[in-house]
mmCIF file of all heavy atoms in Angstrom:
data_model
loop_
_atom_site.group_PDB
_atom_site.id
_atom_site.type_symbol
_atom_site.label_atom_id
_atom_site.label_comp_id
_atom_site.label_asym_id
_atom_site.label_seq_id
_atom_site.Cartn_x
_atom_site.Cartn_y
_atom_site.Cartn_z
ATOM 1 N N SER B 317 134.073 114.022 100.851
ATOM 2 C CA SER B 317 135.340 114.534 101.477
ATOM 3 C C SER B 317 135.691 115.988 101.065
ATOM 4 O O SER B 317 136.654 116.560 101.564
ATOM 5 C CB SER B 317 136.484 113.558 101.138
ATOM 6 O OG SER B 317 136.835 113.697 99.774
ATOM 7 N N HIS B 318 134.903 116.544 100.162
ATOM 8 C CA HIS B 318 135.070 117.910 99.760
ATOM 9 C C HIS B 318 133.725 118.622 99.788
ATOM 10 O O HIS B 318 133.478 119.564 99.030
ATOM 11 C CB HIS B 318 135.600 118.058 98.339
ATOM 12 C CG HIS B 318 137.046 117.474 98.202
ATOM 13 N ND1 HIS B 318 137.323 116.131 98.047
ATOM 14 C CD2 HIS B 318 138.243 118.079 98.204
ATOM 15 C CE1 HIS B 318 138.585 115.950 97.943
ATOM 16 N NE2 HIS B 318 139.191 117.140 98.077
ATOM 17 N N LEU B 319 132.818 118.217 100.678
ATOM 18 C CA LEU B 319 131.445 118.677 100.579
ATOM 19 C C LEU B 319 131.322 120.151 100.748
ATOM 20 O O LEU B 319 130.529 120.742 100.061
ATOM 21 C CB LEU B 319 130.658 117.898 101.667
ATOM 22 C CG LEU B 319 129.142 118.029 101.641
ATOM 23 C CD1 LEU B 319 128.617 117.598 100.223
ATOM 24 C CD2 LEU B 319 128.475 117.223 102.739
ATOM 25 N N ASP B 320 132.001 120.756 101.643
ATOM 26 C CA ASP B 320 131.955 122.145 101.865
ATOM 27 C C ASP B 320 132.260 122.926 100.543
ATOM 28 O O ASP B 320 131.555 123.872 100.169
ATOM 29 C CB ASP B 320 132.801 122.603 103.058
ATOM 30 C CG ASP B 320 134.233 122.150 102.949
ATOM 31 O OD1 ASP B 320 134.456 121.065 102.229
ATOM 32 O OD2 ASP B 320 135.116 122.758 103.485
ATOM 33 N N GLU B 321 133.349 122.530 99.901
ATOM 34 C CA GLU B 321 133.739 123.223 98.787
ATOM 35 C C GLU B 321 132.780 123.078 97.619
ATOM 36 O O GLU B 321 132.387 124.059 96.962
ATOM 37 C CB GLU B 321 135.154 122.587 98.247
ATOM 38 C CG GLU B 321 136.260 122.795 99.172
ATOM 39 C CD GLU B 321 137.361 121.736 98.994
ATOM 40 O OE1 GLU B 321 137.543 121.281 97.862
ATOM 41 O OE2 GLU B 321 138.052 121.355 100.023
ATOM 42 N N TYR B 322 132.212 121.943 97.431
ATOM 43 C CA TYR B 322 131.288 121.647 96.420
ATOM 44 C C TYR B 322 129.998 122.448 96.608
ATOM 45 O O TYR B 322 129.273 123.012 95.769
ATOM 46 C CB TYR B 322 130.970 120.155 96.187
ATOM 47 C CG TYR B 322 132.133 119.524 95.377
ATOM 48 C CD1 TYR B 322 132.702 118.367 95.840
ATOM 49 C CD2 TYR B 322 132.550 120.055 94.167
ATOM 50 C CE1 TYR B 322 133.759 117.752 95.146
ATOM 51 C CE2 TYR B 322 133.515 119.458 93.403
ATOM 52 C CZ TYR B 322 134.222 118.236 94.005
ATOM 53 O OH TYR B 322 135.180 117.720 93.268
ATOM 54 N N LEU B 323 129.503 122.460 97.953
ATOM 55 C CA LEU B 323 128.337 123.186 98.229
ATOM 56 C C LEU B 323 128.459 124.670 97.958
ATOM 57 O O LEU B 323 127.640 125.321 97.370
ATOM 58 C CB LEU B 323 127.881 123.037 99.709
ATOM 59 C CG LEU B 323 127.238 121.688 99.956
ATOM 60 C CD1 LEU B 323 127.191 121.485 101.505
ATOM 61 C CD2 LEU B 323 125.828 121.575 99.391
ATOM 62 N N GLU B 324 129.678 125.249 98.257
ATOM 63 C CA GLU B 324 129.873 126.665 98.004
ATOM 64 C C GLU B 324 129.980 126.898 96.562
ATOM 65 O O GLU B 324 129.432 127.971 96.056
ATOM 66 C CB GLU B 324 131.173 127.112 98.738
ATOM 67 C CG GLU B 324 130.948 126.945 100.229
ATOM 68 C CD GLU B 324 131.833 127.969 101.098
ATOM 69 O OE1 GLU B 324 131.341 129.062 101.258
ATOM 70 O OE2 GLU B 324 132.862 127.545 101.537
ATOM 71 N N ALA B 325 130.612 126.037 95.772
ATOM 72 C CA ALA B 325 130.703 126.202 94.367
ATOM 73 C C ALA B 325 129.295 126.175 93.740
ATOM 74 O O ALA B 325 128.970 126.950 92.868
ATOM 75 C CB ALA B 325 131.639 125.151 93.744
ATOM 76 N N PHE B 326 128.498 125.194 94.231
ATOM 77 C CA PHE B 326 127.242 125.054 93.736
ATOM 78 C C PHE B 326 126.331 126.329 93.893
ATOM 79 O O PHE B 326 125.698 126.828 93.048
ATOM 80 C CB PHE B 326 126.504 123.847 94.413
ATOM 81 C CG PHE B 326 125.046 123.730 94.147
ATOM 82 C CD1 PHE B 326 124.593 123.091 92.937
ATOM 83 C CD2 PHE B 326 124.104 124.191 95.067
ATOM 84 C CE1 PHE B 326 123.236 123.029 92.662
ATOM 85 C CE2 PHE B 326 122.683 124.047 94.817
ATOM 86 C CZ PHE B 326 122.315 123.472 93.581
ATOM 87 N N GLU B 327 126.461 126.825 95.182
ATOM 88 C CA GLU B 327 125.689 128.041 95.481
ATOM 89 C C GLU B 327 126.078 129.163 94.586
ATOM 90 O O GLU B 327 125.228 129.879 94.047
ATOM 91 C CB GLU B 327 125.902 128.401 96.940
ATOM 92 C CG GLU B 327 125.043 129.622 97.371
ATOM 93 C CD GLU B 327 125.450 130.223 98.649
ATOM 94 O OE1 GLU B 327 126.713 130.312 98.866
ATOM 95 O OE2 GLU B 327 124.631 130.789 99.425
ATOM 96 N N ALA B 328 127.433 129.432 94.446
ATOM 97 C CA ALA B 328 127.942 130.543 93.645
ATOM 98 C C ALA B 328 127.357 130.462 92.268
ATOM 99 O O ALA B 328 126.897 131.486 91.629
ATOM 100 C CB ALA B 328 129.465 130.502 93.682
ATOM 101 N N LYS B 329 127.411 129.263 91.709
ATOM 102 C CA LYS B 329 126.946 129.044 90.290
ATOM 103 C C LYS B 329 125.431 129.284 90.183
ATOM 104 O O LYS B 329 124.943 129.814 89.234
ATOM 105 C CB LYS B 329 127.421 127.683 89.899
ATOM 106 C CG LYS B 329 127.435 127.410 88.361
ATOM 107 C CD LYS B 329 128.492 128.174 87.792
ATOM 108 C CE LYS B 329 128.181 128.317 86.239
ATOM 109 N NZ LYS B 329 129.165 129.066 85.449
ATOM 110 N N ALA B 330 124.735 128.769 91.167
ATOM 111 C CA ALA B 330 123.292 128.915 91.144
ATOM 112 C C ALA B 330 122.868 130.411 91.247
ATOM 113 O O ALA B 330 121.975 130.828 90.511
ATOM 114 C CB ALA B 330 122.696 128.129 92.258
ATOM 115 N N ILE B 331 123.594 131.154 92.058
ATOM 116 C CA ILE B 331 123.266 132.570 92.193
ATOM 117 C C ILE B 331 123.526 133.233 90.892
ATOM 118 O O ILE B 331 122.794 134.076 90.415
ATOM 119 C CB ILE B 331 124.040 133.170 93.364
ATOM 120 C CG1 ILE B 331 123.543 132.625 94.758
ATOM 121 C CG2 ILE B 331 124.074 134.695 93.326
ATOM 122 C CD1 ILE B 331 124.424 132.992 95.932
#
Side-chain angles (χ1 to χ4, degrees):
Chain B
S317 73
H318 295 82
L319 191 55
D320 50 334
E321 297 155 33
Y322 282 127
L323 281 168
E324 297 207 83
F326 172 79
E327 182 197 36
K329 200 67 201 178
I331 291 171

